[in-house]
Amino acid sequence: MSTPETPAAPPSPAAKAGAGVATYLDERLGTNAAGKKNLRKVFPEHWSFMLGEIALYSFIILLATGVYLTLFFKPSAQEVTYDGVYAPLRGAHMSEAYASTLDISFEVRGGLLMRQIHHWSALIFVAAIFIHLFRIFFTGAFRKPRELNWLIGNGLLTMALIEGFAGYTIPDDLLSGTGLRIAEAVILSIPVVGTYVQFFLFGGEFPGDDIIPRLFIIHVLLLPGIMLALITVHLMLVVVQKHTQFPGPGRTNENVVGFPLMPVYMAKAGGFFFIVFGVCALLGGIAQINPIWLFGPYYPDQISAGSQPDFYIGFLEGSLRAMPNWETNLFGHSISWNVLVPGLILPGIMMTLLAVYPFIEAWVTGDKREHHLLDRPRDVPVRTAFGAMSIAFYLLLFINGGNDIIGLTFDISINNVTRFTQVALIVVPPIVFVITKRACLGLQRADLNRVLHGKETGIIKRLPNGEFIEVHAPISAEERFSLMQRNTYAPLAAGPATDEEGVPTPGHKVAKVRAKLSKFWYADDMPKPTPEEYAELTAGHGHGDDHGTDVEGHGH
Amino acid sequence: MSYGIDTHGGHGTDLAQVEGDPFADPGLPHHTPRRTDIDARAANRAERQVAGLFGLSTILTIGFIVAFVSIDKEDTMYVVGLGTINSLNFALGVTLGGSLLCIGFGAIHWARKLMNAEEIVDYRHPMKSSPEDTADALELAKQGVADSALPRRKLIWTSLIGAMALFPLAPVIALRDLGPLPHKKLRGTLWDKPEHREIVHANDERRLKPSDFALGTMISAKPNDLESLEDLAKAAIVLIKINPQEIRSKELADRGYRGILAYSKICPHAGCPLGLYEDETHHMLCPCHQSTFDLADFGRVVFGPSARNLPTLAITVDDEGFLVAKGGFDEPVGPTFFERGDA
Ligand code: HEM
Ligand code: FES
C-alpha cells in the first residue's frame, strides 16, 4: 500500500496516549527494545497450530471459573444434614463438600453455569492436550531443538490428568468417591511403601476426613501453580525457538513465514480465546454435565452400576478391567499385580516411552541438526506407524473401560468383550503398525508418481494403436518442491568391528544395534529421484505416452 | 567415525542453486489481494459486519444481566432437543456464550478481511551461541570459579554437598504427622468386637431376622452402632439366601444360617461395593471391573481381575432370633496391601 506524499497527519489522541504509556514503561523497564523484537514477531499459520491454543485457553477458563467456585465450595468431609432446595435429597446425610456443591448448583445464581463451564473446559483442556501432542508427534516437531519443550508438555499432560481427577473427586459424590476408592487400592498395591503412602495421604484409613481438603488444595493451588509456571516456560520456549512451519515454497529451515503478532495474531488468537470461552459457556448453558445430585452423596458401601469416569481416566479403568487376576504371596507379603500393573506400571511405561521417544529417534537417525520444518507424517513411515500403534493400544484400553456398556449395547457377554480386549491388546498394535507403515509408503509412492508423471487431467486420449489413455499434466514447480523436499536418510552403518590393528572397536555392539534399528527405520523409504533421474524419467512428458513407466523398483 | 547422517540433503535448500534442478524452491508465491483489498464497498461491508458482531455481543451481555436478575433460579423450561431444563442456567449460558462468541468471531473476521494479509518473513538463527560468545562465557565462568576459591578449598565443597543432601530431610520429616502408621488396622473390622456383632440393615438400621429373607433375597447390612465411614468401608456386608441344597459345601453352609450366607460387600480387587447379584447362578458381579464371585461356593472368583475370593462372615441367630455375626472375618477384607500375605 503506497501512500502518496501527504503531509503527516497529527497523531490521534489514542496514539498520543499509547506513546505516553510506552514511554512511561520504557523509562522504568526498557520495554521498547522488547517491543521492537516482539511486536511484529511472525507466526506461521496452520489449523493444527490452534490445538495448543485451545489447551491454553481452556486452562485460562479453568483458572477463572475455578476461582469463582472456590468462593462457594466448602472442602470439608464434615457430615451435615441437607436442607436445601433440592427436594429429593432433603434430610440426607452428606459431607459439607457435597452439600456445598449442591448449593452451587441450586442456590447460587450462575453457580451451575460456572460448574458446568468448569467441567466442560476441563474435558476440552485434556482432549486438546492429547490432540496437540499427536500433532507434535506426527509432524516431528519434537526434534532438536524442541526436545525440552516436549518433556515439559509431557509433564503438563500428566499433571492435567491428576488435576482433573482431583477436581472430579472433591465434590464427594457417589461416582467420584468410587473412583477415589479404586485410586486407594492402586496406592495400596505399591510394594513396600504402599500401605504407608495410603495412610499418610488419607490421614488414616479410607476414606477419612482429610482426603477431601487435601485433594482440594492440590487441585486449586499446588497443581495449577506448577502448571501455570510450566505453561509459561512452554510458551517462552515457543517464542525463543520460533514456531515450526510446514514446508512449502519459500518456507525453509532458516526462515519463518506467516503473519505478525501485531495486529493479526493478536486479533486471531484473542478472538479464538473468546470463541473457546464462548463454546464452553454455551455448553455449560445447554449440555448438562456431572449432575452430582442424581448420583447422591458418597458412602463407601454404596455403588451405582454402569458408572463411568471422565474420558481421560477411561484407559486406566480399561486396563484394570483387562488385567488377569495375578497376585503373588511370598513370606507373608503380597504383591497384587492385578492392580499394580494396570494402575501404575503400565501407565508409567506408557508415559516414559512417550517422554523418551525424541531421544530414541535422534539416536537411531544420528541426526543432530536443528529442525524447524515439519515432517509430513507419510514421509516418516516408522514414526507414524509407532504413533498409530500406540494410539491403537490406548484406544483399546479406553474401549475396554466401557466393556459393560459395549456388552449391554451389543448383547455380548462382558466376559467375552474382556477376553477379546486381552487378545487384541497384543495382536492389534503390531497389525496397525504394519498397515500404517504400508499406507505411508503407498502415499510416498503416489507422491513420486505425481512428480514423475504429473496429475490426472480427466482427458482421455486415443492412441494410434487404438489404446485409450488418460492425459497427465505436469505439476507446478511449487507442488513438485513441496512433495520432494523431505529429508531422506540412509540407514546408519555399524562400522568395522575391529580397527586396522585388529583391536575391537569400543562400543561396536551398541553401534550394531543402532545400525539395525536405523535400517528398520529407513530401509523401506521410497528414494527420491536425483535431478538427472528426474530428467531421464520425465523425458517425453506431455505427449501422454508415458503411461507405462512404473515408479516401483526405481532407484535400485 | 563410523556413523553420522548420510542424507541426500533437503532438496530445495542444498540443491536450490543447482542449474535446472526440478526440485528447487520456487520461492514464496505471489500475494493475491482479497476482495476487501480492492473493493472499497466490500471492505466497508466487512467493517459493518465486525461492528455488528461487537454490537450484538454488547446486547447479549446486557441480556445476561437481565436474565440474572429477572429469572427465578428454580424455574424450568422445555427446550426442544434438551428436554426440561433450568431456565436461568439456560439463559445465562446462551447469553454469555453468545456474547463471547460474537467478540471472537468479530475479531477474527476483522483480522481476515481488513488487516493486512501479506505474509511476512522472519529469519531464524541457530539456537547455538556463536563461538565468540561461548568462549567469552567460558572465560567468565572460569573467572567465577577461580574467584570462589573452590578449587583450592575442597573441604567447603564436600561439606556443602553433605549439607545440601541432608537438609531436604527436615521438610520430609515434617510430613510425618500426615497420618498414623498402619499397624494392623487393615487386618480387622468392627465385627471383631463383640459389642458390634448385631447385623443391621444398611439403610434403616433395623435388626435383621431370618424371616426377612426369601430364597434369592439380597440385603446389604452393617454392624450395629457404626461410628465412622472408615468402619463402614470395611465392615459392610451382603446377605443372601440360597437353597441349602445348592450350597456347595457343608463347611460353607455351616457358616451361614439356614441358607442365609453373609459375605463382605467390599470387592477384594479394588474395594468397590458389590451390587449386582444374580439369583439363578448365585453370581455376584462387581460393577467396577466385573469380578464375578460364586456365592454358593465360598465366594470363589469365576471371572475378572480379582485375585481373591470374597470373604465370608460366619453368622447365626441370638436368643431373640436376630441375625448376628459369630466373630470377625477370617481374613482382611478389601483390596490387597503389601503386608497382607496369604492369611
Ligand atoms: C487445569 C486445570 C483444572 C482441571 C482439569 C479442573 C477440573 C475440575 C473438575 C473436573 C471438577 C469437577 C467439577 C464438577 O463438579 O463437575 C473440578 C471442580 C472444582 N475445581 Fe477445578 N479444574 C482445574 C483447575 C481449577 C482451578 C485453577 C481452581 C481454583 C483455583 C479450581 C477449582 C475447583 C473447585 C473449587 C471445584 C469444586 C467445586 C465443584 O465441583 O463445583 N479448579 N475441577
Ligand atoms: S473393584 Fe471389584 S472388580 Fe475391581
Side-chain angles (χ1 to χ4, degrees):
Chain A
M1 279 199 258
S2 60
T3 10
E5 282 148 49
T6 38
S12 69
K16 262 197 206 152
V21 172
T23 308
Y24 183 92
L25 288 178
D26 187 52
E27 284 171 359
R28 285 153 185 85
L29 303 167
T31 38
N32 284 357
K36 173 184 156 198
K37 232 171 134 182
N38 291 315
L39 278 178
R40 297 283 282 178
K41 195 160 186 76
V42 175
F43 284 95
E45 197 163 61
H46 190 265
W47 64 266
S48 70
F49 300 165
M50 300 200 304
L51 295 164
E53 278 185 69
I54 299 181
L56 171 67
Y57 302 148
S58 36
F59 182 72
I60 297 172
I61 299 165
L62 283 162
L63 288 182
T65 51
V67 169
Y68 175 94
L69 290 173
T70 59
L71 304 177
F72 302 98
F73 181 70
K74 301 197 181 73
S76 154
Q78 186 67 43
E79 190 176 287
V80 294
T81 309
Y82 182 68
D83 62 350
V85 299
Y86 184 63
L89 284 176
R90 236 174 259 155
H93 299 280
M94 56 184 64
S95 66
E96 236 186 320
Y98 183 73
S100 68
T101 312
L102 288 178
D103 291 348
I104 293 173
S105 310
F106 293 110
E107 328 253 326
V108 179
R109 281 180 288 173
L112 179 60
L113 181 66
M114 292 295 174
R115 258 196 72 224
Q116 301 203 129
I117 297 180
H118 194 72
H119 206 129
W120 274 115
S121 44
L123 298 186
I124 292 175
F125 178 59
V126 182
I129 296 180
F130 269 112
I131 304 175
H132 172 60
L133 179 148
F134 294 160
R135 197 284 282 174
I136 303 292
F137 182 86
F138 286 112
T139 60
F142 54 77
R143 288 170 299 167
K144 188 181 173 186
R146 296 184 177 75
E147 306 96 323
L148 300 179
N149 231 7
W150 170 263
L151 291 181
I152 293 178
N154 273 266
L156 280 167
L157 169 63
T158 314
M159 278 186 254
L161 299 182
I162 303 173
E163 172 74 356
F165 182 81
Y168 180 75
T169 303
I170 49 180
D172 202 23
D173 57 283
L174 189 52
L175 209 53
S176 69
T178 307
L180 184 62
R181 177 91 221 219
I182 298 171
E184 185 238 10
V186 172
I187 295 170
L188 279 179
S189 76
I190 304 171
V192 188
V193 294
T195 317
Y196 291 85
V197 174
Q198 190 264 295
F199 268 68
F200 287 168
L201 191 65
F202 287 75
E205 287 187 78
F206 179 88
D209 288 345
D210 291 336
I211 190 68
I212 295 293
R214 285 179 187 172
L215 281 178
F216 175 75
I217 207 65
I218 290 172
H219 182 72
V220 304
L221 182 73
L222 196 60
L223 284 178
I226 301 175
M227 290 170 83
L228 188 59
L230 282 183
I231 289 176
T232 311
V233 178
H234 199 70
L235 295 179
M236 275 164 52
L237 287 188
V238 173
V239 170
V240 170
Q241 298 177 329
K242 299 198 171 86
H243 206 290
T244 51
Q245 62 189 351
F246 276 100
R251 291 154 210 266
T252 70
N253 208 31
E254 283 80 37
N255 72 9
V256 44
V257 183
F259 293 107
L261 176 65
M262 181 176 171
V264 178
Y265 263 90
M266 284 183 178
K268 281 194 174 167
F272 194 46
F273 166 73
F274 280 97
I275 289 180
V276 174
F277 202 169
V279 168
C280 290
L282 265 188
L283 282 170
I286 63 178
Q288 186 182 71
I289 188 159
N290 204 19
I292 50 120
W293 54 92
L294 298 181
F295 309 144
Y298 179 63
Y299 275 96
D301 66 336
Q302 284 174 23
I303 182 98
S304 59
S307 51
Q308 289 294 313
D310 273 351
F311 81 88
Y312 45 85
I313 302 295
F315 80 106
L316 289 176
E317 181 89 356
S319 69
L320 278 163
R321 290 178 184 200
M323 182 72 192
N325 61 347
W326 299 336
E327 184 172 303
T328 307
N329 287 289
L330 262 189
F331 309 118
H333 288 78
S334 310
I335 297 185
S336 33
W337 305 110
N338 54 343
V339 180
L340 183 64
V341 171
L344 275 178
I345 295 184
L346 184 72
I349 293 177
M350 286 162 75
M351 289 310 291
T352 310
L353 282 181
L354 193 65
V356 300
Y357 181 81
F359 305 97
I360 298 179
E361 191 185 297
W363 185 69
V364 171
T365 58
D367 186 347
K368 299 199 169 51
R369 295 171 303 171
E370 284 189 15
H371 289 280
H372 305 289
L373 282 180
L374 295 169
D375 286 324
R376 294 160 82 221
R378 70 182 64 174
D379 290 338
V380 197
V382 171
R383 178 204 295 151
T384 305
F386 269 135
M389 164 173 144
S390 313
I391 293 177
F393 185 78
Y394 176 89
L395 281 181
L396 282 168
L397 290 179
F398 176 76
I399 292 170
N400 197 51
N403 62 359
D404 45 346
I405 295 176
I406 294 173
L408 270 178
T409 317
F410 300 104
D411 202 19
I412 322 169
S413 92
I414 296 174
N415 305 8
N416 285 338
V417 180
T418 303
R419 285 197 194 96
F420 171 81
T421 312
Q422 287 171 339
V423 176
L425 279 170
I426 295 165
V427 175
V428 171
I431 297 178
V432 171
F433 182 93
V434 172
I435 294 179
T436 313
K437 188 172 165 197
R438 297 201 150 215
C440 287
L441 292 173
L443 288 168
Q444 281 189 13
R445 189 172 299 130
D447 282 351
L448 204 50
N449 261 319
R450 201 171 159 85
V451 166
L452 295 177
H453 306 303
K455 57 185 174 214
E456 289 163 9
T457 54
I459 300 167
I460 308 289
K461 204 166 128 180
R462 189 166 176 212
L463 297 182
N465 63 10
E467 194 194 342
F468 286 95
I469 57 142
E470 186 178 359
V471 177
H472 285 222
I475 56 175
S476 66
E478 278 82 14
E479 190 178 351
R480 202 159 51 229
F481 169 71
S482 299
L483 292 179
M484 286 294 113
Q485 53 67 42
R486 67 182 153 96
N487 288 301
T488 39
Y489 294 89
L492 298 172
T498 52
D499 64 13
E500 295 93 88
E501 276 122 56
V503 182
T505 324
H508 181 68
K509 277 212 180 105
V510 182
K512 254 167 67 182
V513 172
R514 183 169 157 178
K516 271 216 182 96
L517 275 176
S518 178
K519 191 162 167 218
F520 172 68
W521 229 270
Y522 293 117
D524 297 334
D525 279 9
M526 296 305 292
K528 287 192 298 195
T530 61
E532 297 73 43
E533 285 168 326
Y534 176 81
E536 213 172 283
L537 283 161
T538 53
H541 224 308
H543 306 295
D545 55 3
D546 58 324
H547 195 68
T549 327
D550 189 8
V551 173
E552 237 169 314
H554 151 85
H556 294 295
Chain B
M1 272 297 274
S2 54
Y3 28 77
I5 49 166
D6 174 12
T7 78
H8 299 306
H11 287 307
T13 47
D14 300 347
L15 297 181
Q17 293 83 11
V18 175
E19 263 296 310
D21 174 12
F23 307 127
D25 181 356
L28 275 183
H30 281 290
H31 173 66
T32 29
R34 297 161 300 187
R35 184 115 186 264
T36 42
D37 291 329
I38 41 180
D39 178 352
R41 288 206 356 245
N44 290 341
R45 196 177 326 119
E47 181 183 3
R48 283 195 304 276
Q49 285 162 345
V50 173
L53 282 165
F54 289 162
L56 187 56
S57 167
T58 315
I59 295 171
L60 284 165
T61 303
I62 295 171
F64 180 90
I65 298 171
V66 171
F68 192 94
V69 296
S70 65
I71 301 179
D72 190 282
K73 64 188 177 203
E74 284 172 52
D75 276 358
T76 56
M77 61 196 273
Y78 181 81
V79 181
V80 184
L82 300 177
T84 305
I85 55 172
N86 181 284
S87 317
L88 178 61
N89 188 61
F90 178 74
L92 294 181
V94 169
T95 49
L96 178 64
S99 105
L100 296 169
L101 284 175
C102 285
I103 296 181
F105 285 128
I108 289 180
H109 198 55
W110 173 20
R112 292 176 51 144
K113 294 286 168 179
L114 295 171
M115 289 184 183
N116 185 353
E118 247 170 296
E119 288 192 307
I120 57 176
V121 181
D122 201 355
Y123 291 91
R124 296 179 189 275
H125 312 285
M127 293 313 299
K128 207 175 149 176
S129 308
S130 68
E132 298 81 53
D133 282 348
T134 305
D136 288 352
L138 198 67
E139 204 40 57
L140 293 174
K142 274 189 190 149
Q143 191 62 48
V145 171
D147 287 356
S148 73
L150 265 187
R152 279 167 293 127
R153 312 231 173 255
K154 294 276 186 284
L155 194 57
I156 294 187
W157 191 232
T158 337
S159 54
L160 178 66
I161 291 178
M164 294 298 277
L166 274 188
F167 101 88
L169 277 183
V172 169
I173 282 287
L175 290 176
R176 166 61 190 86
D177 283 347
L178 274 176
L181 292 180
H183 297 297
K184 300 228 176 287
K185 288 197 194 97
L186 290 180
R187 295 201 158 265
T189 66
L190 212 54
W191 299 108
D192 296 327
K193 302 190 180 155
E195 67 275 23
H196 291 288
R197 296 226 171 115
E198 293 170 10
I199 297 175
V200 304
H201 194 281
N203 298 339
D204 55 22
E205 308 197 353
R206 79 189 139 87
R207 297 194 63 184
L208 293 173
K209 285 206 280 298
S211 56
D212 292 326
F213 293 83
L215 275 185
T217 306
M218 179 192 105
I219 297 181
S220 295
K222 57 190 179 186
N224 59 302
D225 300 315
L226 193 118
E227 263 156 25
S228 70
L229 293 184
E230 294 77 72
D231 284 333
L232 179 62
K234 288 188 303 182
I237 56 170
V238 285
L239 298 143
I240 41 133
K241 182 157 178 170
I242 301 182
N243 183 347
Q245 270 102 57
E246 290 174 33
I247 298 181
R248 291 295 179 84
S249 71
K250 184 167 175 323
E251 201 193 340
L252 175 60
D254 288 346
R255 293 181 73 84
Y257 182 80
R258 296 198 184 150
I260 302 175
L261 298 176
Y263 281 95
S264 167
K265 195 181 180 179
I266 308 302
C267 182
H269 177 231
C272 286
L274 303 169
L276 305 172
Y277 178 61
E278 201 184 53
D279 180 40
E280 288 137 63
T281 53
H282 312 306
H283 283 179
M284 177 69 102
L285 177 79
C286 176
C288 282
H289 318 102
Q290 289 101 32
S291 289
T292 311
F293 306 94
D294 185 349
L295 299 196
D297 190 12
F298 267 110
R300 185 172 55 86
V301 184
V302 290
F303 182 79
S306 176
R308 295 185 186 274
N309 299 342
L310 196 60
T312 59
L313 184 72
I315 56 167
T316 182
V317 290
D318 65 7
D319 312 340
E320 299 157 71
F322 288 110
L323 290 168
V324 291
K326 284 187 187 161
F329 287 96
D330 294 344
E331 55 182 318
V333 299
T336 300
F337 47 97
F338 182 64
E339 297 82 356
R340 186 189 191 281
D342 245 341

